[in-house]
C-alpha cells in the first residue's frame, strides 16, 4: 500500500500560490530598480519642459518606470529573514491604505480647491478630476518602498 | 508575550550579532524579539530553544492580555 502523502489539487494550487507570493528578485535588483526609475523620472521631467509632447514616449517611460519600481519592491533585502518578511507585509498593508486614501482624497481636495478658487474668480465652474491609474500605482509602490524602509529604520533604532 | 532571550543570551555571553549569526537571522530580528515587538515563528522559537537548550515554554511566556 502506498503510504506516501498525495497532495490534493487544492494543496497543489495553494503551493503554487505560495511560490508566487514568496517569489523575490536578488537583492542587487533593488538598487538597480530604484536608480533606473529615478533616471526615467528625471528624463520625464526634462522631456516635459524641453522635449516634444509625444504621448507614446511618456506612456512608455511611465510603464517602464512602474516595472522598475515593482522590481525594486519585489527584491530581497540584504538579510532576508522572517522579520523582514513581516515588515514587508506590513509595508504592503500601509501602502494599500495610503494609496486608497490618496486616490480618494486628492480628487476631493482638488475639487474643493477648485470650488474655492472658482468662488473667488466667479466663473462658476468646478471640476472633479480623477486620479490616473499610473498615479495610483506610482504612489502605491512608492508608499510601499518608503514604509518598508521606515519600518526597518524603526527596528534599527530600538 | 514576553521572553527571556536577553537573559539567556547574556548567560552565554553572546552579543545580538552573535546570536543572529548562529540562528541565521538579522540583528534587528533579535533586537525586536527581545523588545517584545515581534513574536517569532515556531521555527525560530525552536531554533532558539535548541541553542539555549531550554524548552520553548521556558523562553517564552504568555501575558494576561494574550
Amino acid at each position: 500500500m502506498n503510504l506516501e502523502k498525495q497532495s490534493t489539487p487544492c494543496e497543489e494550487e495553494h503551493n503554487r500560490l505560495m511560490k508566487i507570493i514568496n517569489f523575490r528578485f536578488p537583492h542587487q535588483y533593488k538598487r538597480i530598480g530604484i536608480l533606473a526609475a529615478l533616471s526615467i523620472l528625471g528624463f520625464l521631467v526634462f522631456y516635459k519642459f524641453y522635449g516634444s509632447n509625444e504621448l507614446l514616449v511618456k506612456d512608455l517611460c511611465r510603464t517602464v518606470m512602474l516595472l522598475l519600481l515593482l522590481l525594486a519592491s519585489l527584491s530581497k533585502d540584504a538579510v532576508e529573514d522572517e522579520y523582514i518578511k513581516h515588515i514587508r507585509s506590513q509595508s504592503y498593508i500601509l501602502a494599500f491604505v495610503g494609496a486608497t486614501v490618496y486616490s480618494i482624497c486628492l480628487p476631493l481636495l482638488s475639487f474643493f480647491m477648485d470650488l474655492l478658487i472658482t468662488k473667488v474668480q466667479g466663473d462658476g465652474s468646478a471640476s472633479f478630476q480623477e486620479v490616473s491609474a499610473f498615479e495610483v500605482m506610482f504612489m502605491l509602490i512608492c508608499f510601499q518602498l518608503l514604509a518598508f524602509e521606515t519600518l526597518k529604520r524603526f527596528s534599527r533604532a530600538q | 508575550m514576553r521572553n527571556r532571550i536577553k537573559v539567556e543570551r547574556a548567560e552565554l555571553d553572546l552579543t545580538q550579532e552573535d546570536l543572529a549569526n548562529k540562528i541565521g537571522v538579522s540583528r534587528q530580528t533579535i533586537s525586536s524579539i527581545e523588545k517584545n515587538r515581534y513574536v517569532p515563528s515556531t521555527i525560530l522559537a525552536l531554533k532558539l530553544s535548541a541553542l539555549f537548550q531550554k524548552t520553548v515554554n521556558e523562553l517564552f511566556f504568555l501575558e494576561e492580555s494574550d
Side-chain angles (χ1 to χ4, degrees):
Chain A
M1 196 173 123
N2 187 11
L3 290 175
E4 247 180 61
K5 193 174 175 267
Q6 296 270 322
S7 55
T8 62
C10 185
E11 280 173 342
E12 279 173 17
E13 202 173 315
H14 178 257
N15 290 342
R16 274 198 297 273
L17 197 63
M18 289 313 287
K19 260 187 193 171
I20 295 169
I21 290 170
N22 291 326
F23 175 78
R24 293 283 173 272
F25 292 105
H27 174 57
Q28 61 266 31
Y29 282 57
K30 186 171 207 161
R31 190 167 292 172
I32 295 170
I34 290 174
L35 289 177
L38 283 175
S39 313
I40 292 178
L41 186 66
F43 170 75
L44 276 172
V45 172
F46 178 82
Y47 192 75
K48 183 183 169 83
F49 294 107
Y50 302 105
S52 64
N53 213 4
E54 190 73 47
L55 268 176
L56 183 70
V57 177
K58 278 186 185 174
D59 282 347
L60 195 69
C61 284
R62 285 173 177 178
T63 309
V64 173
M65 188 163 71
L66 279 183
L67 284 172
L68 287 165
L69 285 172
L70 187 66
L71 179 76
S73 173
L74 292 177
S75 298
K76 283 181 185 167
D77 210 56
V79 180
E80 185 78 9
D81 63 3
E82 60 173 59
Y83 181 59
I84 290 294
K85 285 177 187 167
H86 170 73
I87 287 181
R88 187 178 287 116
S89 62
Q90 283 183 325
S91 71
Y92 280 117
I93 295 169
L94 281 173
F96 175 76
V97 174
T100 308
V101 169
Y102 173 84
S103 62
I104 293 168
C105 288
L106 198 76
L108 281 176
L109 192 72
S110 155
F111 177 71
F112 286 120
M113 289 303 282
D114 248 16
L115 269 181
L116 285 175
I117 292 164
T118 47
K119 265 186 183 171
V120 173
Q121 290 177 341
D123 67 358
S125 67
S127 59
F128 190 84
Q129 290 168 344
E130 286 291 324
V131 180
S132 70
F134 164 77
E135 216 174 307
V136 173
M137 291 313 296
F138 180 76
M139 291 313 290
L140 182 75
I141 303 177
C142 286
F143 278 146
Q144 191 274 322
L145 289 169
L146 284 172
F148 180 65
E149 290 306 318
T150 309
L151 289 169
K152 228 169 65 175
R153 208 178 59 234
F154 285 162
S155 73
R156 269 201 294 266
Q158 279 167 28
Chain B
M1 195 165 82
R2 289 183 300 116
N3 66 73
R4 278 177 51 84
I5 302 299
K6 194 172 183 177
V7 178
E8 296 294 337
R9 181 171 63 74
E11 280 177 11
L12 289 185
D13 199 22
L14 292 171
T15 62
Q16 286 186 341
E17 193 76 52
D18 295 335
L19 179 58
N21 290 337
K22 278 181 189 286
I23 57 172
V25 293
S26 65
R27 194 194 61 76
Q28 286 107 295
T29 307
I30 301 297
S31 167
S32 301
I33 295 170
E34 285 184 358
K35 302 266 180 191
N36 296 316
R37 293 225 172 180
Y38 173 64
V39 178
S41 69
T42 315
I43 295 172
L44 196 50
L46 289 170
K47 280 184 184 176
L48 288 164
S49 158
L51 186 91
F52 293 126
Q53 298 191 326
K54 296 269 168 80
T55 64
V56 174
N57 282 349
E58 286 173 301
L59 294 176
F60 298 93
F61 339 90
L62 291 173
E63 284 179 302
E64 293 264 321
S65 55
D66 292 321

